[in-house]
Amino acid sequence: MDNFIFGRYLPGHSIIHQMSPQSKLLLCFYFVAIIFLANNVASYAVLAVLIIAAIILSGISIGFFIRGIRPLIWLIIFTVLLQVFFSSGGKVLWHWGPFSVSDLSLINGGYIFVRFLLIIMISTVLTLTTAPLAIADGVQTILRPLKKLHFPVDTLALMLSIALRFVPTLMDEMTTIMNAQRSRGVDFGSGSLKHRIKVAVPLLIPLFTGAINHAEELSTAMEARGFTDSESRTKYRVYNWQLSDTIAWLIFIAVGIIVFLVRK
């Protein structure tokens, strides 16, 4: 839990930090769309090079990213195993009851692992280099045309900003609660799956209690400051399109074309 970095923001002055939030959001969605076009080693290698370049330009070490996504590895592995054991097609290498492993399922499982890893990495680059309020402003800017349809764009942006803001806070509280229970002799890392679930249940009550307390304190603070969800509100920071945004889009479009050309 200590290394969980998704949702955190690390202030910096890199090229990625200086890009406009709406541009980074759209690039993130565009990159995810490109990932689903990739279907061979060459296309995934091109995307991996792009992600590594983005991490280097962000000024954050790759090792920090690897340690940060470690808590999500088990979720990725579980998804990959479902693909490996329950997909059909190809030459069957192993079979037992409802489970089977084929050469095609192993290849698809490897691709899914890389796909999930790339999606997590690009999302982490976005959250680490963009403040929660900036992400909310970016969402609000992108969805602004929906206001003509009376869609609550401002409310959605506020909800997203609050959610991203409290992800690391709740994870830190989870770590504090686990450490407190470890000091009382609770072991979270050993025993059967049933035992681990049993010892994890007592974590939920203080965690939900803390989340409710944070929500009440936040609502009180917003009311005390006269917050209103109206269109007349002004912004302290205005994010404009930068030259780095144009360069980034040209690079991403070129990568998208390359992926399309090298795919099978």
Side-chain angles (χ1 to χ4, degrees):
M1 295 294 181
D2 296 331
N3 292 326
F4 194 86
I5 63 175
F6 183 80
R8 296 182 184 271
Y9 168 63
L10 296 180
H13 302 284
S14 67
I15 297 177
I16 308 295
H17 282 83
Q18 296 174 4
M19 292 175 59
S20 62
Q22 57 267 28
S23 175
K24 285 189 278 189
L25 280 168
L26 291 175
L27 282 174
C28 186
F29 295 142
Y30 174 75
F31 184 82
V32 173
I34 295 176
I35 289 177
F36 288 97
L37 287 178
N39 61 357
N40 56 19
V41 176
S43 56
Y44 280 110
V46 172
L47 295 175
V49 170
L50 180 61
I51 282 293
I52 294 174
I55 293 175
I56 294 174
L57 291 175
S58 69
I60 303 171
S61 65
I62 297 180
F64 184 79
F65 276 82
I66 295 175
R67 292 193 305 269
I69 65 175
R70 192 177 300 166
L72 301 173
I73 289 295
W74 292 110
L75 177 61
I76 301 175
I77 292 177
F78 176 75
T79 306
V80 171
L81 291 178
L82 289 179
Q83 173 69 28
V84 171
F85 287 117
F86 293 100
S87 63
S88 59
K91 181 181 179 181
V92 177
L93 304 176
W94 177 82
H95 177 77
W96 182 75
F99 306 102
S100 64
V101 177
S102 65
D103 54 352
L104 184 60
S105 67
L106 289 175
I107 295 174
N108 290 334
Y111 287 160
I112 289 177
F113 179 82
V114 176
R115 185 178 298 171
F116 269 94
L117 194 62
L118 292 175
I119 292 175
I120 293 174
M121 296 292 274
I122 191 66
S123 303
T124 306
V125 170
L126 172 67
T127 56
L128 286 178
T129 61
T130 314
L133 288 178
I135 293 178
D137 289 340
V139 172
Q140 188 175 6
T141 302
I142 295 172
L143 299 181
R144 187 174 297 167
L146 295 179
K147 285 187 176 181
K148 297 180 179 179
L149 302 177
H150 303 287
F151 186 82
V153 175
D154 298 327
T155 303
L156 178 63
L158 176 65
M159 292 170 57
L160 178 62
S161 173
I162 293 174
L164 290 174
R165 166 62 183 83
F166 280 100
V167 165
T169 301
L170 294 178
M171 296 305 300
D172 290 340
E173 287 193 358
M174 173 69 79
T175 302
T176 302
I177 296 170
M178 292 180 67
N179 290 336
Q181 296 207 14
R182 284 193 183 102
S183 66
R184 292 168 173 83
V186 179
D187 187 5
F188 295 98
S190 63
S192 62
L193 178 61
K194 182 179 179 180
H195 173 74
R196 294 187 182 186
I197 295 175
K198 185 177 180 180
V199 297
V201 169
L203 299 175
L204 299 179
I205 296 177
L207 186 64
F208 278 114
T209 302
I212 293 173
N213 290 335
H214 283 305
E216 291 180 350
E217 293 173 357
L218 179 62
S219 62
T220 302
M222 293 173 68
E223 290 177 359
R225 288 164 174 78
F227 175 83
T228 55
D229 191 9
S230 62
E231 297 183 0
S232 59
R233 295 180 63 242
T234 59
K235 297 182 182 298
Y236 178 71
R237 292 182 177 87
V238 179
Y239 301 95
N240 298 317
W241 190 272
Q242 306 289 334
L243 176 62
S244 57
D245 296 307
T246 303
I247 296 175
W249 270 102
L250 292 175
I251 294 174
F252 271 68
I253 291 174
V255 169
I257 294 174
I258 294 173
V259 170
F260 181 80
L261 293 176
V262 301
R263 70 192 300 267
K264 295 180 180 179

